[in-house]
Amino acid sequence: MSTFEPGPVMDLRQRLADACRVLGVLGLATGNTGHLSVRVPDSDNLLIRARGPAEAGVRYTTPAEIIEVAPDGDVAAGVKDGLFPPQEVFIHTEVYRARSDVTSVVHVHPATVVLFTIADVPLLPIFGAYDPSALKLAIDGIPTYDRSVLISNPHLGHDLAAALGSKNVCLMRGHGITAAGTSIEEAALRAISLNELAEMNYRARQLGEPRPISDEDIATFATRPDAAKKPVNSNRTEAMWRYYLRLTGIAEG
Ligand SMILES: [Zn+2]
């Protein structure tokens, strides 16, 4: 079985906690703001990072802090250890409702990405081979959900899912980002790519006026097979994820 195929629920809890820790160490999620989820195989429920009395931040999430939630956002199997769903659980429930192709959802508040929504500055396709996955996000177009409120009810979740549309990443003005994928790791890697795109745009603006790469080169990358759209067990995705697990000390190398 591929590393990234849906596995036993215990494995999913571990993988979800690992992904929380990676995004925490990389600075995409500070403090307790941010949550990741995954569909429970053969069920309408999802697993999600919970809030609770003993939490120590996204960066330190443990498998015990992952709870199962029903499609309406309520805890599925009774409250355990005082854990409860995040207020914005409806980001997850409504994206899954709208997108049968999505298996995992990431919601975090990466500061540099949020700055672009505050200043209303576009994320430009300013590099090519430096990071094709991040470039592809810019080429494909990144939608923005224009409100800055907490997504604290199904109606707001529905609107956010509508803003995301058929894309896999969405900016949330003055708030954060939502990323979707066919596996926990794919969704997390997309969030990392979006953050990298923003970091490079930000730094380029410190030096001068960022210049998008040529139309010819954009066309070349636009027609390039999308590694992220290959089967979820693509070696490239697995290798990239192994790198982040080791970089962040979650896996030993
Ligand atoms: Zn949020």
Side-chain angles (χ1 to χ4, degrees):
M1 189 176 79
S2 156
T3 312
F4 295 160
E5 285 174 14
V9 168
M10 276 313 293
D11 289 354
L12 290 175
R13 287 176 193 274
Q14 182 68 56
R15 286 164 56 193
L16 208 50
D18 286 351
C20 287
R21 294 169 84 104
V22 167
L23 296 186
V25 174
L26 294 178
L28 272 75
T30 56
N32 284 308
T33 51
H35 24 85
L36 283 67
S37 71
V38 64
R39 288 185 194 267
V40 176
D42 305 317
S43 165
D44 293 331
N45 293 347
L46 55 137
L47 296 171
I48 190 165
R49 176 183 183 271
R51 307 298 303 267
E55 63 182 320
V58 178
R59 179 172 180 168
Y60 304 104
T61 302
T62 66
E65 291 174 304
I66 307 296
I67 58 170
E68 187 167 339
V69 166
D72 63 1
D74 286 339
V75 180
V79 177
K80 181 175 152 281
D81 300 330
L83 296 170
F84 54 92
Q87 215 178 333
E88 296 190 294
V89 66
F90 304 104
I91 292 173
H92 304 260
T93 55
E94 296 306 313
V95 168
Y96 292 131
R97 198 185 309 280
R99 292 278 299 274
S100 60
D101 60 314
V102 169
T103 302
S104 184
V105 173
V106 170
H107 171 63
V108 285
H109 302 171
T112 305
V113 188
V114 175
L115 283 170
F116 280 81
T117 70
I118 291 169
D120 203 18
V121 172
L123 291 169
L124 299 174
I126 55 171
F127 51 74
Y130 170 78
D131 187 343
S133 296
L135 167 70
K136 196 73 165 56
L137 295 177
I139 293 175
D140 288 347
I142 303 168
T144 300
Y145 174 67
D146 209 41
R147 299 195 64 187
S148 305
V149 293
L150 286 165
I151 309 299
S152 56
N153 65 52
H155 178 70
L156 291 168
H158 174 270
D159 290 348
L160 184 269
L164 176 67
S166 61
K167 306 289 188 184
N168 288 310
V169 294
C170 180
L171 308 180
M172 301 162 77
R173 180 179 167 192
H175 180 174
I177 66 166
T178 294
T182 57
S183 69
I184 296 166
E185 294 78 8
E186 187 181 77
L189 285 169
R190 286 198 173 120
I192 292 168
S193 289
L194 178 55
N195 191 56
E196 181 66 16
L197 179 68
E199 291 286 354
M200 287 296 282
N201 268 266
Y202 183 85
R203 289 163 66 182
R205 285 186 182 274
Q206 310 304 302
L207 290 173
E209 190 63 31
R211 193 167 55 119
I213 61 172
S214 70
D215 290 345
E216 181 186 6
D217 288 356
I218 286 176
T220 300
F221 281 102
T223 55
R224 178 178 178 269
D226 186 348
K229 284 189 177 156
K230 283 183 180 171
V232 291
N233 59 356
S234 84
N235 290 338
R236 190 176 305 180
T237 306
E238 288 195 9
M240 205 59 192
W241 191 247
R242 270 197 300 277
Y243 164 75
Y244 284 114
L245 288 177
R246 290 197 185 182
L247 177 75
T248 52
I250 293 167
E252 299 201 352

